[in-house]
């Protein structure tokens, strides 16, 4: 079976060579612009497509509701893979929160340009939120958390096939 998502300018394709059902649950951006975060279950795998932020909120509504995945906060074993479609903050702005505060340490994939530009935008977003908007830093991620998060991302080239398992592959394309 094949699942394909087009988000922004990059199209991601996932292959699972078996019969499957696909379940899609928006954790953000379901009825709104911003905070893109979609939980896709296919072939027994839970894939998080994007982990964005909403620019209009300074409270807990700024990030996706990750409690849908786990109220205890341990995301490992519940999410098999995270794919970041592109570097816009509404698609990657909560990734350091998800990895460093919610505790996800599994595989994360993004294209090389996305991984290169993401930390610059995330640091700018952090500074504006904490220093200008007055968001309490204990409810946000730090500069070090951004750096730690970036170390967890595996960059890939466009049209490069990434084999997650023998019967499960992902590949990024320009959309």
């Amino acid at each position: 079976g094949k699942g394909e998502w087009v988000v922004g300018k990059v199209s991601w394709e996932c292959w699972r060579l078996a019969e499957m059902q696909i379940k899609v649950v928006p954790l953000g951006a379901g009825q709104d612009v911003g905070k893109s975060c979609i939980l896709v279950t296919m072939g027994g795998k839970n894939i998080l497509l994007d982990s964005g932020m909403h620019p209009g909120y300074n409270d807990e509504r700024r990030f996706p509701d990750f409690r849908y995945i786990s109220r205890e906060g341990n995301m490992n074993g519940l999410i098999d893979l995270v794919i970041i479609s592109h570097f816009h903050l509404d698609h990657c702005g909560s990734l350091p929160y998800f990895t460093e505060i919610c505790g996800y340490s599994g595989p994360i994939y993004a294209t090389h340009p996305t991984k290169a530009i993401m930390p610059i935008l995330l640091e700018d977003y952090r500074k504006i939120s904490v220093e200008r908007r007055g968001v309490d830093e204990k409810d946000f991620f730090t500069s070090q958390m951004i750096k730690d998060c970036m170390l967890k991302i595996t960059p890939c080239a466009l049209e490069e096939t990434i084999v997650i398992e023998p019967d499960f592959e992902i590949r990024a394309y320009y959309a």
Side-chain angles (χ1 to χ4, degrees), residues 14-151:
C14 291
W15 290 84
R16 182 99 183 168
L17 302 176
E19 289 293 318
M20 73 178 120
Q21 279 190 310
I22 298 175
K23 179 181 175 185
V24 177
V25 177
L27 301 181
Q31 299 285 325
D32 202 358
V33 174
K35 195 168 58 173
S36 179
C37 186
I38 301 167
L39 178 60
V40 178
T41 302
M42 59 185 279
K45 295 288 180 198
N46 290 317
I47 304 159
L48 200 63
L49 178 61
D50 287 336
S51 185
M53 53 73 74
H54 194 293
Y57 297 115
N58 288 330
D59 56 20
E60 67 280 347
R61 295 173 294 170
R62 73 181 157 266
F63 295 147
D65 187 3
F66 296 117
R67 293 173 303 162
Y68 178 85
I69 301 167
S70 172
R71 295 206 177 273
E72 288 78 44
N74 181 9
M75 302 298 167
N76 297 318
L78 301 173
I79 299 297
D80 297 292
L81 172 69
V82 174
I83 297 172
I84 301 297
S85 64
H86 63 285
F87 55 77
H88 292 163
L89 289 174
D90 59 325
H91 292 264
C92 73
S94 66
L95 187 61
Y97 181 85
F98 186 64
T99 60
E100 306 311 305
I101 295 171
C102 295
Y104 177 75
S105 61
I108 304 169
Y109 292 92
T111 62
H112 287 280
T114 294
K115 185 177 180 184
I117 295 170
M118 209 181 338
I120 299 164
L121 296 178
L122 287 167
E123 180 58 28
D124 207 38
Y125 171 48
R126 187 201 66 76
K127 282 182 183 176
I128 289 168
S129 296
V130 173
E131 296 171 14
R132 292 192 189 156
R133 290 184 168 179
V135 174
D136 192 341
E137 195 163 12
K138 72 175 178 54
D139 297 325
F140 213 76
F141 47 80
T142 65
S143 295
Q144 186 59 50
M145 288 177 180
I146 294 170
K147 291 174 187 169
D148 293 342
C149 174
M150 294 301 108
L151 294 173

